Amino acid sequence: MNSYDVAVIGSGPGGYVAAIRCAQLGMKTAIIEKYSTLGGTCLNVGCIPSKALLDSSHHYDDAVKHFEEHGIEIPGDIKVNLEKMIARKQSVVDQTTGGIDFLMKKNKIDVYQGLGSFKDATHITISGEESTEIEAKNIIIATGSKPANLPFINLDKERVITSTEALKLKEIPKHLIVLGGGVIGLELGQVYKRLGAEVSVVEYADRIVPTMDAGVSKELNKVLKKQKFKINASHKVKSVERNGDEVIVKADNKKGVEVEFKGDYCLVSVGRRPYTDGLNAEAAGVKINDRGQVEVNDHLQTSASNIYAIGDVIKGAMLAHKAEEEGVFVAETLAGQKPHIDYNLIPGVVYTWPEVAAVGKTEGQLKEAGIPYKAGKFPFKALGRARASMDTEGMVKVLAHKETDEILGVHMVGARTADMIAEAVALMEFRASAEDAARMSHAHPTDTEAFKEAALAATDHSKFYEPDTAVHHVTGFHW
Ligand code: FAD
């Protein structure tokens, strides 16, 4: 029987990063994956394919709606070849998952294909084409998550679908009903909206992206409505029925009145659930809580002291970069180091266009915690770079402590904010003040100037502005 210092179950961004870091730190490492390709949800049916389709559909949308304004004329009709678009997405996925195979070989990590089940706290049975058993001193559970469902919905995966099927549709829906106005529903909804589908979002909460800052949610709602999304917040879905090629969704609206949505596809994107099916966690003494998550302490250690868990299968945001940080954290803990993760500084992004990006506390959270704060905002439409690219939608909001000026939260809606948020994360990591951000030179013209200006607005204006004219000393922007 092969014996290891560490065995990792699951090869998503949590698992493969943990395995690489363990190997780099000198541990003999194995990774177990039940599917034939490595990379987990993120690389196969999550982050990467959804971004590939978002990028392709964005090009199409630009060509149809904006090229002419830029003075670009395309003779004849611009058409979508969905099959080719999906094939390109798949080739991006294949390249990326192939990259993980390479990394496993490079770091001398043994890869086992098959379902990993605990026999006890140090032995795992792997049932694949050939069943085998391995032994490991330490084990990292990184089994991720699967799409959640509502108990009364029959996911037939043809017309009533999850994100996995939405990434490989054979036709553009005429009317896509999206259940859930969270990140996944809005991103995939926007893909098909751009390609010509009518899209109706049905959300239980009173606003889309309900976990994000309320101001951001309002701004995104405004922009998506302009893009002709039909957004139905405060709607409680009661039934989803299929009638031939038609899907009928019934929901109660805010007033308790039943409303009906008829479409040809229904995307159920009501969240994801931690995945531990077939793991046989109890045989190892690993506790699963009543939310289905593997229970961990602050060291990400489970109730079995040699077994750790990371990523979507434990508490916290279901994000690839959160899983990665946790993978590194456990590997370094096993190597005797003292790593640290600041969960407050894990950024959250929605890759719609305009993008939404945030880090730190929302206004709602600060109010609830009774923390005194001040807010500075800056709209993209006041920015030269945004006007040049015609991406004038959205704004940046900086929340800083009222007395100390420390940046407590940054919330952005706008073009390329997914990349821009990194600056806010870095500054907050070093506990910068809004004034620090406002005094840093930002290349002109760039979208990042919106962050500088919002930081400036959050800090003491008199330092930068002529009091009587309210003209910014540096940029000349009229307040
Ligand atoms: P996973 O990636 O889910 O990987 C777990 C792996 O474990 C899987 O490959 C599974 O097959 C394997 N496994 C499970 N049980 C066993 C077992 N018993 N034996 C062997 N193998 C097993 N996050 C972002 O940060 N940014 C994004 O843009 C983003 N976009 C997304 C878009 C979509 C459509 C979806 C669905 C998700 C998206 N996410 C995004 C979320 C992201 O994919 C997850 O947070 C991330 O993949 C979690 O990583 P993980 O390693 O915990 O688990």
Side-chain angles (χ1 to χ4, degrees):
M1 187 194 310
N2 288 338
S3 214
Y4 296 91
D5 295 318
V6 184
V8 182
I9 310 178
S11 71
Y16 80 75
V17 168
I20 291 171
R21 193 76 191 116
C22 285
Q24 284 172 343
L25 292 168
M27 293 172 245
K28 189 179 175 203
T29 307
I31 192 163
I32 305 154
E33 171 54 55
K34 70 175 185 151
Y35 288 124
S36 57
T37 53
L38 302 178
T41 304
C42 175
L43 270 56
N44 289 283
V45 290
C47 326
I48 301 300
S50 59
K51 265 79 261 177
L53 289 183
L54 276 160
D55 283 336
S56 296
S57 60
H58 194 168
H59 286 308
Y60 173 70
D61 194 58
D62 261 350
V64 172
K65 296 203 187 119
H66 304 298
F67 274 17
E68 214 180 309
E69 283 173 281
H70 282 277
I72 304 164
E73 286 170 12
I74 299 180
D77 287 345
I78 304 167
K79 285 192 201 137
V80 175
N81 182 335
L82 186 65
E83 200 184 334
K84 204 164 171 182
M85 204 178 268
I86 302 274
R88 188 198 79 92
K89 171 221 76 175
Q90 195 51 45
S91 78
V92 173
V93 168
D94 295 345
Q95 278 169 39
T96 316
T97 57
I100 307 298
D101 291 336
F102 167 79
L103 288 172
M104 294 302 112
K105 279 195 198 101
K106 189 178 162 214
N107 288 285
K108 301 191 174 50
I109 297 162
D110 287 350
V111 177
Y112 291 88
Q113 202 221 312
L115 182 82
S117 301
F118 283 105
K119 190 173 168 201
D120 57 39
T122 49
H123 292 85
I124 304 166
T125 312
I126 302 157
S127 17
E129 265 175 29
E130 286 167 34
S131 281
T132 181
E133 189 180 314
I134 62 168
E135 182 186 43
K137 278 189 225 134
N138 294 293
I139 295 168
I140 304 174
I141 302 172
T143 50
S145 62
K146 288 275 175 208
N149 191 15
L150 297 172
F152 52 85
I153 299 179
N154 174 26
L155 284 169
D156 64 25
K157 301 198 175 175
E158 283 173 15
R159 301 244 162 214
V160 184
I161 58 176
T162 70
S163 55
T164 305
E165 294 74 51
L167 291 166
K168 51 181 183 198
L169 287 185
K170 295 214 161 29
E171 59 177 358
I172 299 164
K174 290 181 196 67
H175 182 194
L176 175 66
I177 305 165
V178 177
L179 304 190
V183 182
I184 294 174
L186 295 180
E187 288 184 3
L188 292 172
Q190 198 173 49
V191 166
Y192 289 105
K193 180 85 199 71
R194 288 170 180 159
L195 301 184
E198 188 186 328
V199 176
S200 299
V201 177
V202 185
E203 166 61 51
Y204 177 75
D206 61 357
R207 58 186 173 97
I208 54 168
V209 285
T211 55
M212 298 189 98
D213 184 87
V216 153
S217 180
K218 200 170 155 196
E219 186 75 22
L220 183 66
N221 196 74
K222 194 174 83 189
V223 179
L224 293 181
K225 274 193 162 166
K226 259 203 220 163
Q227 294 175 7
K228 306 224 164 31
F229 266 77
K230 296 202 171 97
I231 296 175
N232 307 274
S234 303
H235 276 61
K236 187 179 176 192
V237 174
K238 295 194 305 190
S239 69
V240 177
E241 299 296 337
R242 180 159 167 197
N243 183 11
D245 287 350
E246 192 175 57
V247 184
I248 302 150
V249 173
K250 287 186 181 153
D252 281 344
N253 71 12
K254 208 175 175 173
K255 293 178 186 142
V257 178
E258 186 181 285
V259 280
E260 200 175 85
F261 302 88
K262 283 186 179 168
D264 51 344
Y265 286 88
C266 174
L267 167 63
V268 181
S269 46
V270 293
R272 295 182 61 83
R273 65 170 177 91
Y275 185 73
T276 52
D277 300 7
L279 189 62
N280 200 24
E282 46 300 348
V286 171
K287 225 161 116 189
I288 311 278
N289 68 22
D290 48 15
R291 300 181 67 186
Q293 296 160 332
V294 175
E295 190 103 346
V296 288
N297 63 17
D298 289 348
H299 303 286
L300 304 184
Q301 195 173 29
T302 69
S303 45
S305 61
N306 67 320
I307 302 176
Y308 294 75
I310 58 174
D312 282 10
V313 79
I314 65 167
K315 64 187 173 184
M318 287 185 166
L319 291 170
H321 44 287
K322 178 251 190 193
E324 287 177 23
E325 294 304 327
E326 291 177 339
V328 171
F329 179 95
V330 170
E332 293 182 350
T333 302
L334 290 174
Q337 299 179 9
K338 302 251 177 300
H340 172 74
I341 298 175
D342 186 344
Y343 284 98
N344 184 44
L345 297 186
I346 305 270
V349 173
V350 190
Y351 293 84
T352 47
W353 199 263
E355 292 171 335
V356 184
V359 63
K361 301 282 184 252
T362 64
E363 281 201 59
Q365 287 168 333
L366 291 175
K367 276 184 195 144
E368 206 178 298
I371 298 169
Y373 71 94
K374 47 197 181 155
K377 274 198 211 169
F378 193 84
F380 276 100
K381 64 172 182 271
L383 213 62
R385 186 72 190 90
R387 280 199 296 269
S389 64
M390 290 175 54
D391 286 315
T392 50
E393 227 103 48
M395 55 91 194
V396 174
K397 177 161 78 175
V398 172
L399 305 174
H401 195 283
K402 198 162 190 167
E403 281 117 39
T404 66
D405 199 38
E406 179 177 349
I407 302 173
L408 302 175
V410 178
H411 305 275
M412 305 172 164
V413 180
R416 291 166 284 275
T417 54
D419 295 296
M420 276 171 62
I421 200 69
E423 181 188 1
V425 177
L427 283 169
M428 288 173 72
E429 188 72 53
F430 291 98
R431 304 196 61 178
S433 65
E435 186 179 341
D436 289 330
R439 287 191 183 276
M440 279 165 54
S441 174
H442 287 70
H444 174 76
T446 58
D447 294 310
T448 66
E449 287 173 292
F451 174 58
K452 178 187 169 91
E453 293 287 348
L456 195 57
T459 195
D460 182 0
H461 285 200
S462 61
K463 289 191 179 130
F464 300 91
Y465 291 96
E466 302 287 353
D468 42 349
T469 59
V471 174
H472 181 218
H473 279 313
V474 186
T475 62
F477 179 70
H478 288 257
W479 206 247

